[in-house]
Amino acid sequence: MSALSQPLVWFITGTSAGFGSILAKTALARGDRVIASARSLDKIKHLESDNCRTLQLDVTDTEEAIKASAKEAIDFWGRVDVVVNNAGIGAPGIAEEVGAAGFLKQFQTNFFGAINVTNAFLPYMRAAKSGTVVFIGSRHAWMTRNPTLRPYNSSKAALHAYAETLQNEIKQFGIRVFIAQPGAHRTDVITTSISNNLTREKIPDYEDMRAALAARYWKQNGMQPGDPEKAMSAVVDVVRGEGVAEGRTMPLWLVLGTDAEQDLRDFCADRLKNLDEWQDVTRGCAVNGEFVLV
């Protein structure tokens, strides 16, 4: 049983589909209240109920507009206990073909949008001396071996680093940070990501790579190993301290999916192998040749 004395109030971005929609429904099913947001109200009006309010929000909007939306959200029930930065796009693109402009477009939603939303709610959480900020990250932050996803990989890696730093800054105010890192789940992400292609021009030298990766992605569409409802149930458990999280301290990171677990283990093994192979050079940079842990 949860030790919560009253329902939590969640603010979730990107609830029109995928993880965001499922998370909103899961939190509501646990008896909590939800403020569901999306760029289009028409796509989330079906979520409206006594315990669910909907709010139009584009995370790429100005800081001022996002702060105004945060104030509107707070006014619904007088507080927001959990902010979930879920809104994002998974736009494919080869680094040379998308250029800096393509990376910037990806970062505006996945990274800068999350920062602005978080900052809009932090004053209220600092005043309350409590709150939880959740970031929906991705295994692609460390799984960089597959080409054509460079903007997405980079934005999620930046999001993870930001969230980890934020945790050290705001824990003094009683505010928790939680980073969910899912693998491939059966959402509509592949279908929507294709429509978000950032490519400015197609360079013939990359054609074979582009075709092979496109075929691979479409083949796995609808066949991903992860169940999004189970993943979002775990997220709610962690935030509420019940179910699989009962009696356990909230983790900073939670990897969701066996594919994500294996990818992270492979990543760590590669880094440790590299560190061991070049240890003499690494340690040879020390002043006076001394090895000192700081």
Side-chain angles (χ1 to χ4, degrees):
M1 293 291 291
S2 171
L4 297 175
S5 60
Q6 60 182 337
L8 293 175
V9 178
W10 298 63
F11 178 86
I12 308 172
T13 64
T15 59
S16 60
F19 283 141
S21 177
I22 294 170
L23 180 59
K25 294 173 183 176
T26 303
L28 288 168
R30 300 289 184 91
D32 286 342
R33 294 170 175 173
V34 171
I35 301 159
S37 71
R39 286 181 295 179
S40 170
L41 278 178
D42 287 341
K43 292 184 177 181
I44 58 174
K45 60 184 180 181
H46 63 284
L47 294 173
E48 278 276 6
S49 69
D50 290 343
N51 288 326
C52 185
R53 301 289 185 268
T54 57
L55 188 64
Q56 191 280 328
L57 175 71
D58 183 341
V59 299
T60 67
D61 211 335
T62 65
E63 285 185 64
E64 292 72 20
I66 292 174
K67 287 179 179 178
S69 293
K71 176 61 166 58
E72 186 176 352
I74 293 291
D75 287 344
F76 281 131
W77 285 296
R79 71 183 201 280
V80 165
D81 303 301
V82 188
V83 172
V84 183
N85 288 290
N86 167 75
I89 56 173
I94 293 170
E96 185 180 356
E97 294 183 337
V98 304
F103 276 79
L104 181 59
K105 183 177 180 180
Q106 178 77 93
F107 270 66
Q108 290 287 8
T109 299
N110 292 8
F111 182 63
F112 296 118
I115 292 176
N116 284 337
V117 169
T118 300
N119 285 347
F121 283 95
L122 282 182
Y124 302 101
M125 290 185 168
R126 282 191 284 104
K129 299 295 183 183
S130 68
T132 302
V133 184
V134 180
F135 296 88
I136 305 299
S138 173
R139 65 169 175 159
H140 285 285
W142 61 75
M143 195 193 76
T144 56
R145 64 181 180 272
N146 289 338
T148 77
L149 282 173
R150 295 293 73 79
Y152 183 71
N153 294 136
S154 301
S155 69
K156 288 300 185 179
L159 184 68
H160 287 191
Y162 160 71
E164 290 167 8
T165 301
L166 180 71
Q167 185 260 350
N168 287 310
E169 294 175 346
I170 64 176
K171 63 183 178 181
Q172 62 180 310
F173 307 116
I175 307 171
R176 306 179 300 177
V177 172
F178 168 47
I179 311 167
Q181 301 175 333
H185 285 69
R186 296 187 184 182
T187 66
D188 60 353
V189 64
I190 291 180
T191 303
T192 56
S193 68
I194 296 301
S195 65
N196 290 324
N197 200 304
L198 302 172
T199 301
R200 300 175 303 173
E201 60 173 336
K202 291 185 177 181
I203 300 173
D205 288 346
Y206 291 112
E207 192 56 44
D208 289 345
M209 175 187 291
R210 186 185 303 105
L213 266 295
R216 176 180 178 275
Y217 290 133
W218 280 116
K219 184 178 180 180
Q220 69 171 334
N221 194 25
M223 302 296 291
Q224 296 95 327
D227 182 334
E229 293 188 2
K230 290 180 179 179
M232 292 304 99
S233 179
V235 168
V236 175
D237 278 351
V238 168
V239 172
R240 291 179 55 85
E242 61 189 22
V244 299
E246 186 173 0
R248 304 165 80 170
T249 301
M250 173 182 282
L252 176 57
W253 317 276
L254 181 63
V255 175
L256 298 168
T258 55
D259 55 340
E261 177 190 356
Q262 189 58 55
D263 288 331
L264 182 54
R265 292 187 183 280
D266 290 345
F267 174 84
C268 292
D270 287 344
R271 290 301 175 96
L272 290 173
K273 180 174 181 290
N274 174 265
L275 194 60
D276 290 339
E277 289 177 351
W278 291 88
Q279 185 183 81
D280 60 322
V281 177
T282 300
R283 297 186 176 185
C285 297
V287 175
N288 299 323
E290 298 178 357
F291 175 58
V292 180
L293 290 176
V294 179

